[in-house]
Structures are given as structure tokens and as C-alpha cells.
Amino acid sequence: MSNGNSPEDERPIEDVSHEVPADVSEEARPSVGRALKQARIAAGLTVDDITTATRVRIAIVHAIEADDFAPCGGDVYARGHIRTLAKAVGLDPAELLAQFDAERGGRPAPTPTAPLFEAERIRPERRGPNWTAAMVAAIVAVIGFVGFTFVKGGDDGGNEASVAEGAQPSSGESASSSAKPKKPADPEPQPSDSAIAAAPADKVTVKVSATEGRSWISAQDHNGRLLFDGLLKQGDSKTFQDNEKVKLVLGDAGAIQLYVNGKKIEDDFQPGAVERLTYTKGDPQVG
């Protein structure tokens, strides 16, 4: 083992070289802590060596060698440390324990050590998550969502036909007056071919006709609300109207003929070209 004691720790104790006579009185015997320290130094061991061999902490070894047993946590633990240290330095544990008990009024009962664990006994038990409550909350949320979707679907069912604000089929599409979709409380005028010819100045009116073939188109109002998103077959038309502007995306611009505010757009759209257009009240002018 290493001999790394500090000078103060390992300095030979005065008068150690003088042998204590065998017939010395009990009062002349070294204390328990001093006896352990003398035996350790005589064996050439440091406190670190003792800690490594016994796993008794350095602070407790120093305290015991100074006859301070309070850090041990009670007499029961002190006796256990004395026994361990005595074996490590070659002393008889029974003699040291008898001396320790005599100095402290007899061998202690093991019960005084119980308060050391009182804090652990009263520590509340960790509880796991309440999965039952979480599942009930999830089921209630799902039921509420399904009910809301059902009610919402019933309210919107009559308005599916009027996706585009002011949208109306062309003259080629016939609709029975008895099958008109339900109108809002404050309806806006529905544009028609005759309305295109005399488009109102306070609105923008756009008519899209698939004259040269079919094309996918998308239309939005000034708020970004989708008015139409689908395929126009050749010969089909859609008319859109808004208070400020209409935004268009033409999948095959070459197949489309546009009328904006009653005027024909003469732009040279190429077949297969995708065009993104915006029209306002002052057009026809491509935005």
C-alpha cells in the first residue's frame, strides 16, 4: 500500500517509542481513537489506504481517530466502524469495543439508530399517472368532436352547391328554379351572361370559358377564400364575382377564354401554359 500521509498526519506521536508497561493502570491506556491511529501509523498506512481497504469515508476515519464518534450516526454504527478499522490495522476488535462500551456506559441498544431513517419512511410514495382519467378525457373529446362534425355537416349540406361567391352556370347549363340552393340572408346578385355585358362598376366580374378544350382552374376572392377548384370540360363556363378582386390559376391557359367586367381578354395564352392572374374593378388588365 502507498504511504502518502501528510506530515502532520504521519508525524510520529511523541513518546510512541516508549513501551507502555504491562502493569500500567486502566487510566493510562490510550483512547480508542488514539489506539487506532497509532496502530495505523505503525503499520505504515495512510488514511487513504484505510478508506480504500474498508470503504469507511475519510472524514469518519479522521473523526474516530480524534475520538469524535458523532459523524458515525450513532453508537451502533460507531461500533461497526471501530471493528472494521481495528481489523484493518491489526488490533483486536473485541478489546477496543469493550473499552468503547465502558467509556459510553455499556453496549447500546440498536433502536437509537431508527430516527436516522425517519425521513425516508415518511417520504411520500411516488404515484404513477392516472391513465383512467386521461382515457375518459380522450373519449369525451372524441364524442364532442364527432357531435360537432355531425351538426356542422348538417348546417353546411345545403350550401355545398354554392362554393363560389356569385358563381352561376353558363347559358348551356339549365337549372330548375325550384332547385335553387339556399341563399344567405343578404345575398349578392348572381352574375349571368347579361350581367357580364353590363358588369356593375362596384364589383369585379370574371367569366371563365373552356372554349378550346378542358382545363383545371382555381379561383379565390380577395380574402383568399376558395371559390372554385376543379376541371372545366370543353364548352363549360364559370362566372365569379367579388367586391375587390378575383384571383385565378389556369392549368391550361391556351384552352381558356376570359371575360373581365364585361370585356374580353385578348392575352395570347399558350396551350399547356399555367397562368396566375388577378383582376380588380378597373380591369381588364392582368394583375
Side-chain angles (χ1 to χ4, degrees):
M1 294 186 182
S2 63
N3 189 6
N5 297 304
S6 64
E8 181 179 352
D9 187 30
E10 305 307 325
R11 185 171 60 247
I13 300 174
E14 294 181 6
D15 299 327
V16 171
S17 60
H18 299 290
E19 294 292 339
V20 179
D23 58 347
V24 69
S25 64
E26 288 292 325
E27 290 77 7
R29 280 193 311 179
S31 65
V32 173
R34 186 176 180 83
L36 289 171
K37 183 173 182 179
Q38 289 176 350
R40 174 178 62 77
I41 295 175
L45 301 175
T46 66
V47 174
D48 288 340
D49 294 335
I50 294 297
T51 297
T52 301
T54 65
R55 299 187 180 275
V56 178
R57 288 181 295 152
I58 293 177
I60 292 180
V61 174
H62 281 298
I64 291 176
E65 289 185 350
D67 291 312
D68 179 9
F69 302 99
C72 296
D75 287 354
V76 172
Y77 291 106
R79 295 179 89 259
H81 291 325
I82 291 171
R83 181 183 291 107
T84 301
L85 296 179
K87 292 179 179 179
V89 298
L91 294 180
D92 183 4
E95 292 183 3
L96 287 180
L97 290 175
Q99 180 180 347
F100 175 79
D101 293 341
E103 292 174 354
R104 302 179 74 86
R107 184 171 181 175
T111 53
T113 62
L116 294 174
F117 303 95
E118 194 68 27
E120 291 187 5
R121 284 206 299 270
I122 63 174
R123 186 177 302 165
E125 182 181 356
R126 181 177 295 177
R127 301 179 62 185
N130 192 339
W131 294 110
T132 302
M135 291 183 63
V136 171
I139 292 173
V140 171
V142 171
I143 293 175
F145 176 78
V146 172
F148 174 81
T149 304
F150 179 80
V151 174
K152 184 68 175 176
D155 292 341
D156 294 342
N159 296 329
E160 292 178 356
S162 54
V163 176
E165 179 182 348
Q168 176 177 324
S170 64
S171 58
E173 297 176 355
S174 61
S176 172
S177 58
S178 61
K180 289 183 179 179
K182 188 182 299 182
K183 294 182 179 180
D186 188 13
E188 301 219 1
Q190 300 293 326
S192 61
D193 288 341
S194 59
I196 294 297
D202 61 340
K203 296 182 182 295
V204 54
T205 305
V206 178
K207 180 180 178 181
V208 183
S209 298
T211 57
E212 301 299 327
R214 65 178 187 173
S215 174
W216 170 85
I217 69 168
S218 175
Q220 295 180 346
D221 64 9
H222 71 281
N223 289 321
R225 185 170 64 93
L226 190 64
L227 302 176
F228 181 80
D229 185 9
L231 184 67
L232 283 187
K233 297 179 180 180
Q234 185 172 5
D236 290 348
S237 298
K238 286 286 184 183
T239 301
F240 308 102
Q241 196 173 79
D242 188 70
N243 293 331
E244 296 183 18
K245 62 184 175 182
V246 174
K247 302 176 184 179
L248 294 176
V249 179
L250 307 179
D252 183 358
I256 297 298
Q257 179 63 63
L258 296 178
Y259 294 87
V260 179
N261 296 325
K263 298 179 182 178
K264 183 178 180 181
I265 301 300
E266 299 295 345
D267 287 345
D268 186 18
F269 296 138
Q270 298 299 315
V274 177
E275 295 287 343
R276 300 178 182 273
L277 310 168
T278 301
Y279 295 107
T280 61
K281 300 175 187 179
D283 290 329
Q285 291 179 353
V286 178

